[in-house]
Amino acid sequence: MIYPDFLKSGDTIGVTGCSAGCPGEVNENCFNHAKEEFSKYGINVVLTENATTCEKGRSSDAKTRGAQLMALVKDPKVKAILAATGGDYLCEMLPYVDYEQIVKNPTWIQGYSDPTGLLFGITTKYDVATIYSQNFGEFGMDPWHKSLGYNLDILLGKEIIQESFDLFQSGWKDKVTGLEPYILDAPVEWTGLHKEKELSFKGRMIGGCLDAILEIIGTPFEYVKGFLERYKDDGIVWCLESFGLDSERLTVALWHLRQMGWFKYTKGIVFGRPCFFSTGTETTFDEAVDNAIGDMGIPIITNADIGHRKPSVTIINGAIGEFRLNSGKATLKTEFK
């Protein structure tokens, strides 16, 4: 596994609109505050032009998105690249990404939700570690949540053990100033799928937003089977979350991945809290997971701090992750091997 250089004082973070962008005064306030916060650590931030533009859900056309990403990859001062935000159309830019250049000049590339389509292929096909964590806009909040500190510590190369959080934000609220913190109103409780109080497993992490992963299956932009074979001795830990899949689509999606052999060599699976979940068959999220893969003998955790229902821990695709669950609380230890 190729790990890009960790950040240090004087380095630069690049921000680009791989999918949608973030126009308007509220987003400008958010981004400016995020830049101020990073500057306290001696880290500079540069924005590509399309980080703050958006039309019909796209920061710019697909070719431009690819070009602006690659300009950051080729800049020796830029040591990490963060997606400005999520969206729906990242897949359009994938043919314009120079993956060989990313391998030649490895740079941390980070985001969540739609950016999964970029991160997933970089790690599964090219063995470059990527970060499933915050998009840049998260760093505009004042004050920073503990989860952002975890993310920055990892970017700085600190060896930390991330702990599950006490509360999460159950709903959504529009930003007024751009600096709003999370509204933490619901208790966090990681759960074993089969009601286990204690679980532990360790392996090579891979995953992201399942909705986005489904879009690139069978395209040139994933190579899961090769990834599994290359790292079978470590075992695989899947870290997944669902944005808009209902119980029926979730069941079928996991059945599909199972039939494709994607859960081969799997040591454990961690599911984040679903974002917009519904059911037409009176099936809960956990029941859908259980129906599809619950009989595989794989330890499975649900309701984890991963993905859209913030806060979230930082997942390093390609690194070794050790998860430990104990009565609703959990820890994640990451090893860069």
Coordinates of all heavy atoms in Angstrom, one line a residue, residues 116-176:
T116 N -16.8 9.1 -3.0 CA -16.4 7.7 -2.9 C -16.0 7.1 -4.3 O -15.0 6.3 -4.3 CB -17.6 6.8 -2.4 OG1 -18.0 7.3 -1.1 CG2 -17.3 5.4 -2.4
G117 N -16.6 7.5 -5.4 CA -16.3 7.0 -6.7 C -14.9 7.2 -7.1 O -14.3 6.4 -7.8
L118 N -14.3 8.3 -6.6 CA -12.9 8.6 -6.9 C -12.0 7.8 -6.0 O -11.0 7.2 -6.4 CB -12.6 10.1 -6.8 CG -11.2 10.6 -7.0 CD1 -10.7 10.3 -8.4 CD2 -11.1 12.1 -6.6
L119 N -12.2 7.9 -4.7 CA -11.4 7.3 -3.6 C -11.3 5.8 -3.8 O -10.2 5.2 -3.7 CB -11.9 7.6 -2.2 CG -12.3 9.0 -1.9 CD1 -12.9 9.1 -0.5 CD2 -11.1 9.9 -2.0
F120 N -12.4 5.2 -4.1 CA -12.5 3.7 -4.1 C -11.6 3.1 -5.2 O -10.9 2.1 -5.0 CB -14.0 3.3 -4.4 CG -14.3 1.9 -4.1 CD1 -14.5 1.5 -2.8 CD2 -14.6 1.0 -5.1 CE1 -14.9 0.2 -2.5 CE2 -14.9 -0.3 -4.8 CZ -15.1 -0.7 -3.5
G121 N -11.6 3.7 -6.4 CA -10.8 3.2 -7.5 C -9.3 3.4 -7.2 O -8.5 2.6 -7.6
I122 N -9.0 4.6 -6.7 CA -7.6 4.9 -6.4 C -7.0 3.8 -5.5 O -5.8 3.4 -5.7 CB -7.4 6.3 -5.8 CG1 -7.8 7.4 -6.8 CG2 -6.0 6.5 -5.3 CD1 -7.8 8.8 -6.3
T123 N -7.7 3.4 -4.5 CA -7.2 2.4 -3.5 C -7.3 1.0 -4.1 O -6.4 0.2 -4.0 CB -7.9 2.5 -2.2 OG1 -7.8 3.9 -1.7 CG2 -7.4 1.5 -1.2
T124 N -8.5 0.6 -4.6 CA -8.6 -0.8 -5.0 C -7.8 -1.1 -6.3 O -7.4 -2.3 -6.4 CB -10.1 -1.2 -5.3 OG1 -10.6 -0.3 -6.3 CG2 -10.9 -1.0 -4.0
K125 N -7.6 -0.2 -7.1 CA -7.0 -0.5 -8.4 C -5.5 -0.1 -8.4 O -4.6 -0.8 -9.0 CB -7.7 0.2 -9.6 CG -7.2 -0.3 -10.9 CD -8.2 0.2 -12.0 CE -7.8 -0.4 -13.4 NZ -8.8 0.1 -14.4
Y126 N -5.2 0.9 -7.6 CA -3.8 1.5 -7.7 C -3.0 1.4 -6.4 O -1.9 1.9 -6.3 CB -3.8 2.9 -8.3 CG -4.4 3.0 -9.7 CD1 -5.7 3.2 -9.9 CD2 -3.6 2.7 -10.8 CE1 -6.3 3.3 -11.2 CE2 -4.1 2.8 -12.1 CZ -5.4 3.0 -12.3 OH -5.9 3.1 -13.5
D127 N -3.6 0.9 -5.4 CA -2.9 0.7 -4.1 C -2.4 2.0 -3.5 O -1.4 2.0 -2.9 CB -1.8 -0.3 -4.2 CG -2.3 -1.7 -4.5 OD1 -3.2 -2.2 -3.8 OD2 -1.8 -2.3 -5.5
V128 N -3.1 3.1 -3.7 CA -2.8 4.4 -3.0 C -3.9 4.6 -2.0 O -5.1 4.6 -2.3 CB -2.8 5.5 -4.0 CG1 -2.5 6.8 -3.2 CG2 -1.7 5.3 -5.1
A129 N -3.5 4.8 -0.7 CA -4.4 5.0 0.4 C -5.2 6.3 0.2 O -4.6 7.3 -0.3 CB -3.7 5.0 1.7
T130 N -6.5 6.3 0.5 CA -7.3 7.5 0.4 C -8.1 7.6 1.8 O -8.1 6.7 2.6 CB -8.3 7.4 -0.7 OG1 -9.1 6.2 -0.6 CG2 -7.6 7.4 -2.1
I131 N -8.8 8.8 1.9 CA -9.4 9.0 3.2 C -10.9 9.2 3.0 O -11.3 10.1 2.3 CB -8.8 10.3 3.9 CG1 -7.3 10.2 4.0 CG2 -9.5 10.6 5.2 CD1 -6.6 11.4 4.6
Y132 N -11.7 8.4 3.7 CA -13.1 8.6 3.7 C -13.5 9.3 5.0 O -13.5 8.7 6.1 CB -13.9 7.2 3.6 CG -15.3 7.4 3.3 CD1 -15.7 7.8 2.0 CD2 -16.3 7.3 4.2 CE1 -17.1 8.0 1.7 CE2 -17.7 7.5 3.9 CZ -18.0 7.9 2.7 OH -19.4 8.1 2.4
S133 N -13.7 10.6 4.9 CA -13.9 11.4 6.1 C -14.7 12.7 5.7 O -15.6 12.6 4.9 CB -12.6 11.7 6.8 OG -12.8 12.3 8.0
Q134 N -14.2 13.8 6.1 CA -14.9 15.1 5.9 C -14.7 15.7 4.5 O -13.6 15.6 4.0 CB -14.5 16.1 7.0 CG -14.2 15.6 8.3 CD -15.3 14.9 9.1 OE1 -16.5 15.2 8.8 NE2 -15.0 14.1 10.0
N135 N -15.7 16.3 4.0 CA -15.5 17.2 2.9 C -15.1 18.5 3.5 O -15.3 18.8 4.7 CB -16.8 17.4 2.1 CG -17.2 16.1 1.3 OD1 -16.3 15.4 0.8 ND2 -18.5 15.8 1.2
F136 N -14.5 19.4 2.7 CA -13.9 20.6 3.2 C -14.9 21.5 4.0 O -14.5 22.1 5.0 CB -13.3 21.5 2.1 CG -12.5 22.6 2.6 CD1 -11.3 22.5 3.3 CD2 -13.0 23.9 2.4 CE1 -10.6 23.5 3.8 CE2 -12.2 25.0 2.9 CZ -11.1 24.8 3.6
G137 N -16.1 21.6 3.6 CA -17.1 22.4 4.2 C -17.3 22.1 5.7 O -17.7 23.0 6.5
E138 N -17.0 20.8 6.1 CA -17.2 20.5 7.5 C -16.3 21.3 8.4 O -16.6 21.6 9.6 CB -16.9 19.0 7.7 CG -17.8 18.0 6.9 CD -19.2 18.0 7.4 OE1 -19.4 18.1 8.7 OE2 -20.1 17.8 6.6
F139 N -15.1 21.7 7.9 CA -14.1 22.4 8.7 C -14.4 23.8 8.9 O -13.7 24.5 9.6 CB -12.7 22.2 8.1 CG -12.2 20.8 8.1 CD1 -12.4 20.0 7.0 CD2 -11.6 20.3 9.2 CE1 -11.9 18.6 7.1 CE2 -11.1 19.0 9.3 CZ -11.3 18.2 8.2
G140 N -15.6 24.3 8.4 CA -16.0 25.7 8.6 C -16.7 25.9 9.9 O -16.9 27.1 10.3
M141 N -17.1 24.9 10.6 CA -17.9 25.0 11.8 C -17.0 25.7 12.9 O -15.8 25.6 12.9 CB -18.4 23.7 12.3 CG -17.4 22.8 12.9 SD -18.2 21.3 13.6 CE -19.0 20.5 12.2
D142 N -17.7 26.4 13.8 CA -17.0 27.0 14.9 C -17.8 26.8 16.2 O -19.0 27.2 16.3 CB -16.9 28.5 14.7 CG -16.1 29.3 15.7 OD1 -15.3 28.6 16.4 OD2 -16.3 30.5 15.8
P143 N -17.3 26.0 17.2 CA -15.9 25.5 17.2 C -15.9 24.1 16.5 O -17.0 23.6 16.2 CB -15.6 25.3 18.7 CG -17.0 25.0 19.3 CD -18.0 25.8 18.5
W144 N -14.7 23.6 16.2 CA -14.6 22.3 15.6 C -15.1 21.2 16.5 O -14.8 21.2 17.7 CB -13.1 22.0 15.3 CG -12.6 22.5 13.9 CD1 -13.3 23.4 13.1 CD2 -11.4 22.2 13.3 NE1 -12.5 23.7 12.0 CE2 -11.4 22.9 12.1 CE3 -10.3 21.4 13.6 CZ2 -10.3 22.9 11.2 CZ3 -9.2 21.3 12.7 CH2 -9.2 22.1 11.5
H145 N -15.7 20.2 15.9 CA -16.1 19.0 16.7 C -14.9 18.1 16.8 O -13.9 18.2 16.0 CB -17.2 18.3 16.0 CG -17.7 17.1 16.7 ND1 -17.2 15.8 16.5 CD2 -18.7 17.0 17.6 CE1 -17.8 15.0 17.3 NE2 -18.7 15.6 18.0
K146 N -14.9 17.3 17.8 CA -13.7 16.4 18.1 C -13.4 15.5 16.9 O -12.2 15.2 16.6 CB -14.1 15.5 19.3 CG -13.0 14.5 19.7 CD -13.5 13.7 20.9 CE -12.4 12.7 21.4 NZ -12.8 11.9 22.6
S147 N -14.4 15.2 16.1 CA -14.2 14.4 14.9 C -13.2 15.0 13.9 O -12.4 14.4 13.2 CB -15.5 14.0 14.2 OG -16.2 15.2 13.8
L148 N -13.3 16.4 13.8 CA -12.4 17.1 12.9 C -11.0 17.1 13.4 O -10.1 17.0 12.6 CB -12.9 18.5 12.7 CG -14.4 18.7 12.3 CD1 -14.7 20.2 12.1 CD2 -14.6 18.0 11.0
G149 N -10.9 17.1 14.7 CA -9.5 17.0 15.3 C -8.9 15.6 15.0 O -7.7 15.5 14.7
Y150 N -9.7 14.6 15.1 CA -9.3 13.2 14.7 C -8.7 13.3 13.2 O -7.6 12.7 12.9 CB -10.4 12.2 14.8 CG -10.7 11.7 16.1 CD1 -11.9 11.1 16.4 CD2 -9.8 11.7 17.2 CE1 -12.3 10.6 17.6 CE2 -10.1 11.2 18.4 CZ -11.4 10.6 18.6 OH -11.7 10.1 19.9
N151 N -9.5 13.8 12.4 CA -9.2 13.9 10.9 C -7.9 14.6 10.7 O -7.0 14.1 10.0 CB -10.3 14.6 10.2 CG -10.2 14.4 8.7 OD1 -11.2 14.8 8.0 ND2 -9.1 13.9 8.2
L152 N -7.7 15.8 11.4 CA -6.5 16.5 11.2 C -5.3 15.8 11.8 O -4.2 15.8 11.2 CB -6.6 17.9 11.9 CG -5.4 18.8 11.8 CD1 -5.0 19.0 10.3 CD2 -5.6 20.1 12.5
D153 N -5.5 15.2 13.0 CA -4.4 14.5 13.6 C -3.9 13.4 12.6 O -2.6 13.1 12.5 CB -4.8 13.8 14.9 CG -4.9 14.8 16.0 OD1 -4.3 15.9 15.9 OD2 -5.5 14.5 17.1
I154 N -4.8 12.7 12.0 CA -4.4 11.6 11.1 C -3.6 12.2 9.9 O -2.6 11.6 9.4 CB -5.6 10.8 10.7 CG1 -6.0 9.9 11.9 CG2 -5.3 9.9 9.5 CD1 -7.4 9.2 11.7
L155 N -4.1 13.3 9.3 CA -3.4 14.0 8.2 C -2.0 14.4 8.6 O -1.1 14.5 7.8 CB -4.2 15.2 7.7 CG -5.4 14.9 6.8 CD1 -6.3 16.1 6.7 CD2 -5.0 14.4 5.4
L156 N -1.9 14.7 9.9 CA -0.5 15.1 10.4 C 0.3 13.9 10.7 O 1.5 14.1 11.2 CB -0.7 16.0 11.6 CG -1.4 17.4 11.4 CD1 -1.7 18.1 12.7 CD2 -0.5 18.3 10.5
G157 N -0.2 12.7 10.6 CA 0.6 11.5 10.8 C 0.7 11.1 12.3 O 1.5 10.2 12.6
K158 N -0.2 11.5 13.1 CA -0.2 11.1 14.5 C -0.9 9.8 14.6 O -1.9 9.5 14.0 CB -1.0 12.2 15.3 CG -0.3 13.5 15.4 CD -1.0 14.5 16.2 CE -0.4 15.9 16.2 NZ -1.1 16.9 17.1
E159 N -0.4 8.9 15.5 CA -1.0 7.6 15.7 C -1.9 7.8 16.9 O -1.6 7.9 18.0 CB 0.1 6.6 16.1 CG 1.1 6.4 14.9 CD 2.1 5.3 15.2 OE1 2.0 4.7 16.3 OE2 2.9 5.0 14.4
I160 N -3.2 7.7 16.5 CA -4.3 7.9 17.5 C -5.2 6.8 17.5 O -5.3 6.0 16.5 CB -5.0 9.3 17.3 CG1 -5.8 9.2 15.9 CG2 -4.1 10.5 17.4 CD1 -6.7 10.4 15.7
I161 N -6.0 6.6 18.6 CA -7.1 5.7 18.6 C -8.3 6.5 18.7 O -8.6 7.3 19.6 CB -7.0 4.7 19.8 CG1 -5.7 3.8 19.7 CG2 -8.2 3.9 19.9 CD1 -5.5 2.9 20.9
Q162 N -9.2 6.4 17.6 CA -10.4 7.1 17.6 C -11.5 6.4 18.4 O -11.6 5.2 18.4 CB -10.9 7.3 16.1 CG -9.9 8.0 15.2 CD -10.4 8.1 13.8 OE1 -11.3 8.9 13.5 NE2 -9.9 7.2 12.9
E163 N -12.2 7.2 19.2 CA -13.3 6.7 20.0 C -14.6 7.1 19.4 O -14.8 8.1 18.9 CB -13.2 7.2 21.4 CG -11.9 6.8 22.1 CD -11.8 7.4 23.5 OE1 -12.5 8.4 23.8 OE2 -11.0 6.9 24.3
S164 N -15.6 6.2 19.6 CA -17.0 6.6 19.2 C -17.4 7.8 20.0 O -16.9 8.0 21.1 CB -17.9 5.4 19.4 OG -17.9 5.0 20.8
F165 N -18.4 8.5 19.5 CA -18.8 9.7 20.1 C -20.1 9.5 21.0 O -20.6 8.4 21.0 CB -19.1 10.8 19.0 CG -17.9 11.0 18.1 CD1 -18.0 10.5 16.8 CD2 -16.8 11.6 18.5 CE1 -16.9 10.6 16.0 CE2 -15.7 11.7 17.7 CZ -15.7 11.3 16.4
D166 N -20.4 10.5 21.7 CA -21.6 10.3 22.7 C -22.9 10.6 22.0 O -23.9 9.9 22.3 CB -21.4 11.2 23.9 CG -20.2 10.9 24.7 OD1 -19.9 9.7 24.8 OD2 -19.6 11.8 25.3
L167 N -22.9 11.6 21.1 CA -24.2 12.0 20.5 C -24.0 12.3 19.0 O -22.8 12.5 18.5 CB -24.6 13.4 21.1 CG -25.0 13.3 22.6 CD1 -25.2 14.7 23.1 CD2 -26.3 12.5 22.8
F168 N -25.0 12.1 18.2 CA -25.0 12.5 16.8 C -26.1 13.4 16.4 O -27.1 13.5 17.2 CB -24.9 11.2 15.9 CG -26.2 10.4 15.8 CD1 -27.1 10.7 14.7 CD2 -26.6 9.5 16.8 CE1 -28.3 10.0 14.6 CE2 -27.8 8.8 16.6 CZ -28.6 9.0 15.5
Q169 N -26.0 13.9 15.2 CA -27.0 14.8 14.7 C -28.0 14.0 13.9 O -27.7 13.4 12.8 CB -26.4 15.9 13.8 CG -27.4 16.8 13.1 CD -26.7 18.0 12.5 OE1 -26.0 18.8 13.1 NE2 -26.9 18.1 11.1
S170 N -29.3 13.9 14.4 CA -30.3 13.0 13.8 C -31.0 13.6 12.6 O -31.5 12.9 11.7 CB -31.3 12.6 14.8 OG -32.0 13.7 15.3
G171 N -31.0 15.0 12.5 CA -31.7 15.6 11.4 C -30.8 16.6 10.6 O -29.6 16.6 10.7
W172 N -31.5 17.4 9.8 CA -30.8 18.4 9.0 C -31.3 19.8 9.3 O -32.5 20.0 9.5 CB -31.0 18.1 7.5 CG -30.4 16.7 7.2 CD1 -31.1 15.5 7.1 CD2 -29.1 16.4 6.8 NE1 -30.3 14.5 6.8 CE2 -29.1 15.0 6.6 CE3 -27.9 17.1 6.7 CZ2 -27.9 14.3 6.3 CZ3 -26.7 16.4 6.4 CH2 -26.7 15.0 6.2
K173 N -30.4 20.8 9.2 CA -30.8 22.2 9.4 C -29.9 23.0 8.4 O -28.7 22.8 8.4 CB -30.6 22.6 10.8 CG -31.1 24.0 11.1 CD -30.9 24.4 12.5 CE -31.5 25.8 12.8 NZ -31.4 26.2 14.2
D174 N -30.6 23.9 7.7 CA -29.9 24.7 6.7 C -28.9 25.7 7.5 O -29.3 26.2 8.6 CB -30.8 25.6 5.9 CG -31.6 24.7 4.9 OD1 -31.2 23.6 4.6 OD2 -32.7 25.1 4.5
K175 N -27.8 25.9 6.9 CA -26.8 26.8 7.5 C -27.3 28.3 7.2 O -27.7 28.6 6.1 CB -25.4 26.6 6.9 CG -24.8 25.3 7.4 CD -23.4 25.1 6.9 CE -22.7 23.8 7.4 NZ -22.6 23.7 8.8
V176 N -27.1 29.1 8.2 CA -27.4 30.5 8.0 C -26.1 31.4 7.9 O -26.0 32.3 7.1 CB -28.2 31.0 9.2 CG1 -28.5 32.5 9.1 CG2 -29.5 30.3 9.3

